[in-house]
Amino acid sequence: MRIVILDPFEVLSTDLLGRVGRLKTRKGNITTPALLPVVNPFIPNAVSASEIVDLGFQGVTTNAYLILRNAPECTSVHNLLKIESPVMTDSGAYQLLRYGTISVDQERIIAFQKRLESDIAVILDVPTGGYASEEQAMRTAIATYQRAVEALPLIKDDNRIWVAPIQGGPYTHIVDRIAAQTAALDYSMYAVGSPTELLEEYNVAPLARMVWVVRQRIPYGKPLHLFGAGHPIVFALFAALGCDTFDSAAYAIYARDDRYMTPYGTKRLKDLVELPCSCSICKKFSEAKELLDVPKPERERLLALHNLNICLQEEKAVRQAIREGRLWEYAKARCLAHPALKAAFRVLVEGAEKLIPFTRTRKRRGLFFYDHDDLNRPEVLAFKKFLKEKWFPRTSKVLLLRADKLEPHLERFFLNPPSDYQVCLWGGPFLIIPCEIAHTYPLSQFEAADCLISEEDVLWIADLLVAKGVSEVLLVRSGDPLESILLERLRSKGVQIQVCDKPPL
Ligand SMILES: [Zn+2]
């Protein structure tokens, strides 16, 4: 029976560039963002695909090239793995990256993935790797693009999801150019060829920049896969950057090395006293040493199962954060676990203006502001844009009151605003709020640490008022040292200043 999949991806909920989506495969839907753990059916004693599905994962990834080498007669990847859930097959590019050569051509590996009844299949790309020279990066990125072009007639009329990887490594200008060209080929899914060696060293920022560049180029409605990102600590960040699916064998590789995953980093089992997790594996041991005493092949399996549990828990938490519209806070909290991740989070901070159209303006809960970076949240940038483009003060005389000093005057200003002054609240994370709209979301629904705004923000407030034709400012003194900078700037632009200790009645 032929199953026709018209549009394989549906976006259900969005926050930043992250989305909860429905990826429709021939073996059922995958709710994204989702990790499809890598399984190798030819390793005895490894965690099996059916165990992974039983844990709650929605599908797995395996390698078509390995199956071709070890079971060339295989006609069903689902039978081989003994699961009925969606299976993604990689083409062998990882082996090419690791061993330098593989003995298969694209035509053969595409035909083989079709024969295996793979649900999500990948063309044979040429991986760049994390430490390639610029020349090598260009060569591999162009070669991968050419493969994507050559594959088109081979996959025409085939109704599984075909993935076109985009290479180029940390050279974002190359990635940008190739992503634009590949996007034009209209594949049903794209992927970022991840330099896994960078991830292993927590060197996440170059990869975050790659993903950012690719996501800007490929259509928003197309799903994006990230190869090799298997540590739960990075799921939230890469989901926020617009990745929908991940594959990784990290859970098994770490387990082999006696490394125990937590959502905020990896620990060596020998360094742990407690097992800070209550999954079905960890519950069996009262302390870490008991697990360490389990003989190796079994210990490796148990650790792999724990690591998978942690990955699944994080996958669900990330989806929930997107649904609640608090992916910014969630990804940031994860990125604070390691300085290199904090640097990667800056990719979001610096690009926040482009996130505005994808960030919901109504959320079920208020926003949290921890530090100055949070003033780059798309919600704040959208409000600043509104002030610049659409707000006009009622009069040219403005009464400025510190946002946190409003409380005693609340009734006076909301129920009976003075007709001769435009009252504005300044100094909170939204910089300056006209009193009339101060109760609209999210201008009063937030929690902020003190003293978030900088001298630069205060100058922005002054320049906004000048641009809006304000000629007189009455400032209610608050004792904030930034006040003098605000007044000085206004005065230098010809605004008349008065200062008082209490707002006029
Ligand atoms: Zn556990």
Side-chain angles (χ1 to χ4, degrees):
M1 188 180 69
R2 186 177 161 79
I3 305 161
V4 178
I5 299 171
L6 291 173
D7 191 352
F9 190 64
E10 192 182 338
V11 175
L12 305 174
S13 187
T14 66
D15 196 27
L16 310 178
L17 289 175
R19 44 285 182 86
V20 172
R22 189 179 289 137
L23 184 63
K24 300 169 201 164
T25 79
R26 298 160 17 134
K27 285 282 184 188
N29 296 340
I30 296 172
T31 305
T32 64
L35 173 68
L36 307 171
V38 172
V39 288
N40 182 341
F42 307 107
I43 295 182
N45 299 321
V47 177
S48 68
S50 57
E51 283 175 294
I52 287 175
V53 169
D54 287 347
L55 282 176
F57 285 94
Q58 303 170 77
V60 298
T61 304
T62 193
N63 192 298
Y65 176 68
L66 286 183
I67 302 174
L68 184 64
R69 267 184 35 195
N70 293 287
E73 302 307 317
C74 181
T75 56
S76 163
V77 70
H78 301 94
N79 287 351
L80 179 73
L81 299 178
K82 301 184 180 69
I83 56 168
E84 282 302 311
S85 305
V87 176
M88 178 174 188
T89 48
D90 195 3
S91 54
Y94 178 74
Q95 281 67 25
L96 191 62
L97 182 64
R98 212 165 172 100
Y99 309 114
T101 177
I102 54 169
S103 54
V104 70
D105 61 34
Q106 165 147 279
E107 204 168 332
R108 189 161 172 225
I109 200 73
I110 284 180
F112 189 62
Q113 290 183 87
K114 286 185 189 174
R115 199 177 88 192
L116 284 176
E117 293 291 337
S118 166
D119 303 297
I120 306 168
V122 186
I123 65 155
L124 186 62
D125 57 325
V126 186
T128 300
Y131 297 106
S133 67
E134 191 171 340
E135 185 274 327
Q136 214 177 339
M138 182 65 93
R139 191 166 41 74
T140 50
I142 292 174
T144 298
Y145 167 71
Q146 281 166 348
R147 292 264 177 87
V149 174
E150 287 158 16
L152 283 175
L154 306 173
I155 61 174
K156 195 166 153 270
D157 299 329
D158 186 68
N159 71 343
R160 78 203 69 237
I161 296 170
W162 280 97
V163 181
I166 292 159
Q167 294 288 349
Y171 302 96
T172 42
H173 62 288
I174 299 176
V175 176
D176 186 40
R177 191 182 124 189
I178 296 294
Q181 291 175 342
T182 314
L185 300 180
D186 199 26
Y187 269 75
S188 37
M189 190 165 182
Y190 293 89
V192 174
S194 151
T196 44
E197 57 275 45
L198 295 182
L199 275 179
E200 279 162 24
E201 294 161 17
Y202 283 105
N203 193 2
V204 181
L207 183 54
R209 282 192 283 272
M210 273 179 82
V211 170
W212 175 265
V213 165
V214 171
R215 191 71 260 185
Q216 303 300 315
R217 288 293 185 184
I218 64 169
Y220 183 72
K222 300 269 179 162
L224 180 64
H225 179 80
L226 180 58
F227 282 114
H231 200 293
I233 201 170
V234 299
F235 289 173
L237 174 70
F238 285 112
L241 290 165
C243 293
D244 302 295
T245 53
F246 307 92
D247 75 280
S248 172
Y251 71 95
I253 295 166
Y254 283 39
R256 200 176 305 148
D257 211 12
D258 277 330
R259 284 188 285 169
Y260 180 94
M261 281 180 174
T262 76
Y264 42 85
T266 309
K267 313 274 183 195
R268 296 211 170 264
L269 188 57
K270 66 177 173 54
D271 297 334
L272 285 175
V273 176
E274 309 276 348
L275 294 177
C277 168
S278 52
C279 77
S280 58
I281 303 300
C282 297
K283 270 199 298 204
K284 291 180 192 161
F285 301 96
S286 59
E287 52 183 35
K289 194 178 172 311
E290 284 178 23
L291 177 55
L292 200 58
D293 288 343
V294 174
K296 179 72 176 179
E298 181 58 12
R299 184 172 76 237
E300 187 178 323
R301 260 183 65 78
L302 293 172
L303 268 172
L305 285 166
H306 155 79
N307 288 346
L308 282 164
N309 271 306
I310 290 292
C311 290
L312 184 64
Q313 181 189 312
E314 186 67 2
E315 174 191 307
K316 290 179 178 176
V318 168
R319 286 201 297 267
Q320 183 61 25
I322 296 171
R323 292 181 199 273
E324 288 177 9
R326 53 178 188 87
L327 189 56
W328 181 281
E329 288 97 326
Y330 194 85
K332 182 170 178 168
R334 285 290 176 256
C335 287
L336 284 174
H338 195 283
L341 283 170
K342 181 86 197 300
F345 187 76
R346 289 217 55 87
V347 175
L348 268 185
V349 174
E350 284 157 16
E353 205 157 333
K354 291 196 170 153
L355 305 176
I356 294 173
F358 307 104
T359 304
R360 292 206 303 274
T361 50
R362 298 237 157 249
K363 295 185 174 182
R364 270 187 254 166
R365 40 165 277 176
L367 309 179
F368 287 176
F369 294 91
Y370 300 95
D371 57 28
H372 194 264
D373 271 357
D374 294 330
L375 267 53
N376 281 302
R377 290 187 68 122
E379 294 90 342
V380 176
L381 299 186
F383 180 65
K384 286 169 78 177
K385 196 166 178 301
F386 160 80
L387 288 176
K388 271 182 132 170
E389 293 172 6
K390 299 197 173 142
W391 172 67
F392 297 96
R394 290 191 295 121
T395 74
S396 62
K397 289 161 79 177
V398 167
L399 172 66
L400 280 181
L401 192 64
R402 269 292 299 214
D404 49 2
K405 304 275 193 260
L406 173 70
E407 206 59 43
H409 316 291
L410 206 61
E411 201 175 320
R412 154 107 170 85
F413 287 127
F414 281 102
L415 296 181
N416 186 22
S419 57
D420 47 345
Y421 281 107
Q422 164 71 58
V423 181
C424 287
L425 312 170
W426 75 281
F430 292 94
L431 307 193
I432 179 164
I433 303 175
C435 198
E436 301 79 6
I437 55 170
H439 272 184
T440 58
Y441 185 89
L443 303 176
S444 63
Q445 291 80 5
F446 64 83
E447 296 290 336
D450 291 339
C451 307
L452 281 182
I453 70 166
S454 66
E455 192 176 320
E456 200 183 315
D457 298 319
V458 168
L459 298 179
W460 187 92
I461 296 172
D463 292 349
L464 176 82
L465 293 176
V466 171
K468 296 290 171 181
V470 171
S471 57
E472 276 184 60
V473 162
L474 174 58
L475 181 124
V476 182
R477 199 177 278 126
S478 69
D480 187 325
L482 289 170
E483 244 169 44
S484 56
I485 296 164
L486 176 63
L487 295 183
E488 199 178 309
R489 179 70 151 217
L490 287 167
R491 210 174 272 126
S492 76
K493 303 273 178 173
V495 177
Q496 283 186 38
I497 305 291
Q498 280 184 292
V499 178
C500 59
D501 288 319
K502 278 199 296 194
L505 289 170

